Amino acid sequence: MGNASISVTQPVFFIPHGAGPCFFMDWQPADTWNNMAKFLKSIPNRLPERPKAILIISAHWQMSEFSITAGEQPELIYDYYGFPEHTYQLTYPACGAPILADRISQLFTDVGITNEKNTTRGFDHGTFIPLKLIYPEADIPVVQLSLRNNLDPKAHLATGQALASLRKDGVLIIGSGMSFHNMRGYGDARFTAPSERFDEWLTNTVETANLDKRLSALTNWSKAPHALDSHLLGAEEHLLPLMITVGAAGSDVGRKIYSEQVLKTQISAFQFG
């Protein structure tokens, strides 16, 4: 009986969300996204208990200030183009969590991070596509957090640090992006080795036990081997959710829990805690 009130600290994840609605349509080759989908479906098994709510940071929402979905029943934003018609009928009827949104806003305000709550913003595909695999029942409340459009790594690390206390209250924090995201590189064998080098650096960095070294390396990510082959400078929005997850992880060391060559590039996921 007493266990119900004991808080369990949730881990933090940085996950790939694929390409548009890739998991819910035919692709060539047919098995391109199978292993990534299998990984995403496995995430609930990695948790100490079912989350009370999910806070997800999507690469597909950038605002001048950090913004938080605060609606009670956010709609879906089908922000992908040229895909089969049925992929624009996908559903994910998870409710929002306005009280959690209020708390996140207050956590930011307490440390001087300017933010705003948005009661009309829906969930974009960086949120609802992976969540359809992770929690297909859509029965856990979800809040989505934007990136800040200056894409400053230090600011995003600090934002994650402000969120860290949510973990012990059962909130699952997920950064949804791609560890490699250069549209010109997908499907091009010339990018295979560069993507592997960057992935090796990224893995070594998140697995660094010394927190100051980890934060310093990520702040200067653009100097990493083949960083700018993996994420074009000024378009590194798919890497930035990692900064927030690392910040929220605190002293918890990361580990690589999924890695695969997809579209001739190395793609990985990381767990902290």
Side-chain angles (χ1 to χ4, degrees):
M1 288 250 310
N3 288 344
S5 63
I6 297 174
S7 61
V8 173
T9 300
Q10 290 286 0
V12 188
F13 293 86
F14 174 71
I15 62 167
H17 59 235
C22 60
F23 308 111
F24 303 100
M25 57 178 284
D26 293 331
W27 202 279
Q28 294 300 326
D31 63 352
T32 299
W33 302 103
N34 287 8
N35 288 336
M36 189 181 293
K38 183 178 179 182
F39 159 70
L40 292 170
K41 290 176 181 177
S42 78
I43 286 177
N45 298 327
R46 298 177 172 276
L47 306 182
E49 67 178 21
R50 177 182 164 87
K52 294 179 175 63
I54 297 169
L55 171 60
I56 187 163
I57 304 97
S58 168
H60 292 280
W61 189 21
Q62 299 174 52
M63 298 291 285
S64 57
E65 303 295 349
F66 289 106
S67 299
I68 309 150
T69 60
E72 293 186 357
Q73 193 67 56
E75 298 179 348
L76 300 190
I77 302 170
Y78 301 97
D79 53 339
Y80 42 76
Y81 309 96
F83 288 93
E85 180 59 31
H86 78 269
T87 64
Y88 299 92
Q89 312 301 322
L90 294 171
T91 60
Y92 195 74
C95 63
I99 293 173
L100 176 58
D102 287 344
R103 183 172 172 203
I104 293 166
S105 178
Q106 190 61 52
L107 288 171
F108 288 163
T109 300
D110 287 347
V111 293
I113 297 173
T114 308
N115 66 93
E116 60 181 36
K117 291 178 289 184
N118 188 321
T119 57
T120 60
R121 167 79 186 192
F123 299 141
D124 60 55
H125 80 272
T127 289
F128 76 83
I129 290 294
L131 287 184
K132 278 181 72 66
L133 293 170
I134 300 170
Y135 283 110
E137 301 85 2
D139 55 357
I140 297 175
V142 177
V143 170
Q144 182 176 324
L145 173 65
S146 79
L147 302 176
R148 202 166 74 188
N149 59 15
N150 68 351
L151 302 177
D152 173 32
K154 197 166 189 177
H156 288 76
L157 288 162
T159 295
Q161 290 169 334
L163 298 169
S165 64
L166 297 175
R167 298 173 54 200
K168 71 181 188 310
D169 294 326
V171 177
L172 175 63
I173 300 175
I174 299 174
S176 175
M178 293 287 271
S179 59
F180 175 98
H181 192 264
N182 179 346
M183 300 302 285
R184 291 181 303 139
Y186 288 131
D188 186 339
R190 293 174 297 178
F191 282 80
T192 302
S195 71
E196 290 171 341
R197 285 288 309 284
F198 181 69
D199 189 86
E200 181 183 8
W201 174 86
L202 199 60
T203 303
N204 290 338
T205 299
V206 302
E207 292 180 349
T208 298
N210 184 304
L211 180 59
D212 288 339
K213 286 184 178 178
R214 192 190 320 163
L215 298 178
S216 176
L218 287 169
T219 299
N220 297 290
W221 73 269
S222 62
K223 297 181 173 67
H226 293 287
L228 302 185
D229 291 324
S230 302
H231 297 274
L232 298 180
L233 201 58
E236 64 268 31
E237 75 287 334
H238 277 71
L239 183 65
L240 267 290
L242 173 65
M243 307 301 174
I244 296 180
T245 59
V246 169
S251 59
D252 286 344
V253 177
R255 64 187 187 276
K256 184 153 63 178
I257 54 172
Y258 159 85
S259 196
E260 182 188 12
Q261 200 178 114
V262 182
L263 303 179
K264 295 186 169 60
T265 63
Q266 198 69 29
I267 306 291
S268 294
F270 303 97
Q271 176 176 341
F272 304 81

